[in-house]
Amino acid sequence: MQLPNIAAFVVSIVYYKMRIGIVCYPTFGGSGVVATELGKELAVKGHQVHFITYSQPARLDFFNENLFYHEVHIPSYPLFQYPPYELALASKMVDIVRFEKLDVLHVHYAIPHASAAFMAKQILRTKGIHIPIITTLHGTDITLVGKDVSFEPVVTFSINQSDGVTAVSDSLRTETYEFFPIEKEIEVIPNFIDLKKFKRQKKDHFRMAISPNDEKLLIHTSNFRGVKRIQDVIKIFAKVREKIPSKLLLVGDGPERPKMEKLCRELNICQDTRFLGKMEAVEEVLSVADLFLMPSEKESFGLAALEAMACEVPVISSNAGGIPELNIDGVTGFACPVGDVDEMVQKALYVLQDDNLPRFKANALARAHDFNIDKIVPLYEKFYQRIINEQLALL
Ligand code: GMT
């Protein structure tokens, strides 16, 4: 932000197109997906968006004249047992803010993006540039990794030093205040979905191939980490299958997969279970599903469940974290205590009854509309504008 005072005043009263830097993990994880979809939509709306990441974000797959991608290069050196990603990122932020004349930097996932942004901000200040920093908390940066004593002081400090902080659910906001001495106001801006992309498509051939005898189709998508409790997905499915002919689709990959494949063999359900691995167009496979399973130990929001709901798939989930803010118990599915497999089985059997399923599917879609991209992205634009104006007023 390098405006003379009079220009700053004009900008503060007139809505204008912003130059926005977005920092995120470029992987398939929820925070990277949200950040990338946000940047794409902001670019469509005419803002200039600069992604600063260590590789091309997985969903940054389309061309728009307002979208830019800057790769963070981390030089290797024999001395570095751990490559100094945070320093390379901070240096890149300094470079891009200066030369692209950014108005705001929005970092997704506190570790280490908020502290790298703090460092960049201090360096830029020595050059007379004042860049507002916005940090969005996504979940594990607070509920798992951030709480670790190895990170906590830096996480607390860098959140407090951010000019604006958002969290993706009320639950995450509450948990952040409970576990960290945060003085900043945290604004809740929930995750969102593009209903033009995520919608139920006609995929009869695929459905026929997977469930030739019209078996019910249960589905789970995740990064296959321990926190997702995929063992519960498999146990729920095994019990549902005893009562209703059904199949299970598992989308994604990660550290838990070998153990989960072993569990399927032990339960003798391999013939009805498919591990599909990572998929680009997850909405295609969601389009044939009847029920989504998300029994997570922790989940700040549950973006994967929202993607399912947008494709008219009801959800049986745990009631961890922010999930109940999305999956309304008894309406869009059910949210049960973490680890209560029997309860989840009972609820799954209820939802899958032919008399009930159409109602739950319609409710799931209706709920997804509350999180449509065109409702949520304007909240970010408003928030950016407010933080930019507040910072301008301090100059
Ligand atoms: O769920 C994960 O393990 C990935 C993680 C991430 O940081 O990418 O997801 C978190 O952020 C998503 C987007 O805001 C949320 O929808 C997920 O609920 C959240 N995961 C957890 O809190 C475990």
Side-chain angles (χ1 to χ4, degrees):
M1 203 164 40
Q2 299 150 76
L3 299 166
N5 275 346
I6 183 73
F9 176 70
V10 173
V11 162
S12 68
I13 54 170
V14 179
Y15 176 78
Y16 75 118
K17 298 298 177 196
M18 293 170 271
R19 290 166 173 256
I20 302 157
I22 292 187
V23 175
C24 65
Y25 283 107
T27 48
F28 274 97
S31 63
V33 167
V34 169
T36 309
E37 297 296 341
L38 172 62
K40 282 158 66 174
E41 182 67 7
L42 289 167
V44 168
K45 296 183 92 173
H47 302 289
Q48 201 178 87
V49 179
H50 294 262
F51 281 93
I52 305 170
T53 53
Y54 64 74
S55 69
Q56 176 103 2
R59 290 215 190 159
L60 196 58
D61 51 2
F62 91 144
F63 174 77
N64 179 291
E65 68 276 21
N66 295 322
L67 269 183
F68 299 83
Y69 162 59
H70 309 274
E71 188 157 311
V72 179
H73 174 65
I74 309 154
S76 64
Y77 186 67
L79 195 60
F80 298 155
Q81 190 183 348
Y82 304 103
Y85 166 59
E86 196 172 343
L87 301 188
L89 175 62
S91 297
K92 196 70 176 176
M93 287 190 215
V94 169
D95 186 50
I96 302 306
V97 170
R98 278 181 84 189
F99 292 102
E100 302 293 348
K101 302 197 172 8
L102 300 189
D103 298 306
V104 63
L105 257 183
H106 185 183
V107 303
H108 291 258
Y109 207 89
I111 303 171
H113 299 155
S115 46
F118 170 75
M119 201 187 310
K121 185 179 169 96
Q122 298 313 309
I123 296 168
L124 286 160
R125 178 168 286 170
T126 65
K127 300 175 191 307
I129 297 168
H130 299 272
I131 183 79
I133 305 288
I134 291 172
T135 298
T136 289
L137 309 173
H138 276 277
T140 48
D141 46 351
I142 294 301
T143 57
L144 281 177
V145 201
K147 280 180 192 168
D148 193 296
V149 285
S150 314
F151 295 120
E152 185 279 323
V154 176
V155 171
T156 301
F157 176 80
S158 48
I159 293 175
N160 278 329
Q161 291 297 319
S162 298
D163 300 301
V165 183
T166 76
V168 298
S169 62
D170 284 330
S171 147
L172 183 60
R173 177 180 186 272
T174 305
E175 212 169 327
T176 308
Y177 283 129
E178 267 170 22
F179 287 97
F180 301 85
I182 298 298
E183 295 140 17
K184 275 262 142 29
E185 183 50 41
I186 301 176
E187 175 121 343
V188 174
I189 302 185
N191 287 334
F192 55 85
I193 189 93
D194 184 351
L195 289 168
K196 290 194 288 303
K197 175 173 154 70
F198 278 86
K199 60 179 177 211
R200 200 163 180 98
Q201 305 169 11
K202 231 173 139 32
K203 294 277 167 197
D204 294 346
H205 58 290
F206 183 42
R207 169 114 199 175
M208 274 294 288
I210 302 278
S211 59
N213 303 308
D214 209 22
E215 294 91 342
K216 293 285 187 259
L217 267 182
L218 284 69
I219 188 167
H220 169 81
T221 70
S222 77
N223 53 19
F224 281 56
R225 302 224 172 102
V227 73
K228 303 295 173 185
R229 293 188 67 97
I230 305 175
Q231 70 276 18
D232 289 358
V233 170
I234 291 168
K235 289 179 194 162
I236 294 164
F237 170 68
K239 291 191 176 185
V240 166
R241 180 179 164 276
E242 284 171 10
K243 305 274 184 200
I244 303 179
S246 44
K247 305 270 183 181
L248 175 65
L249 298 175
L250 292 143
V251 181
D253 210 338
E256 290 288 292
R257 182 163 166 182
K259 268 193 266 167
M260 296 307 122
E261 286 174 338
K262 187 161 172 273
L263 181 59
C264 286
R265 286 182 208 129
E266 284 164 8
L267 295 173
N268 197 22
I269 55 170
C270 294
Q271 66 280 22
D272 290 325
T273 309
R274 289 251 193 134
F275 286 83
L276 296 172
K278 288 182 187 166
M279 295 184 83
E280 295 277 346
V282 71
E283 64 278 10
E284 291 184 5
V285 63
L286 286 169
S287 288
V288 299
D290 296 303
L291 190 63
F292 187 83
L293 300 177
M294 180 179 263
S296 306
E297 181 89 39
K298 290 179 187 292
E299 204 72 65
S300 67
F301 181 87
L303 184 64
L306 176 56
E307 292 178 345
M309 289 159 73
C311 296
E312 300 174 41
V313 185
V315 176
I316 297 295
S317 66
S318 70
N319 56 10
I323 306 179
E325 295 171 43
L326 169 68
N327 182 24
I328 310 299
D329 194 48
V331 178
T332 58
F334 288 93
C336 312
V338 174
D340 195 340
V341 168
D342 289 339
E343 173 85 3
M344 293 187 202
V345 171
Q346 290 317 311
K347 295 292 161 61
L349 291 170
Y350 178 78
V351 173
L352 287 170
Q353 281 172 26
D354 287 334
D355 286 351
N356 297 333
L357 196 50
R359 179 176 86 250
F360 279 100
K361 283 186 171 182
N363 291 348
L365 177 60
R367 182 70 182 139
H369 275 273
D370 296 337
F371 299 91
N372 196 9
I373 192 164
D374 58 17
K375 290 201 173 94
I376 308 298
V377 170
L379 303 181
Y380 275 114
E381 287 175 286
K382 235 172 109 187
F383 190 69
Y384 291 167
Q385 198 71 68
R386 173 156 76 74
I387 300 300
I388 291 171
N389 289 347
E390 281 173 11
Q391 294 303 303
L392 282 170
L394 293 176
L395 291 183

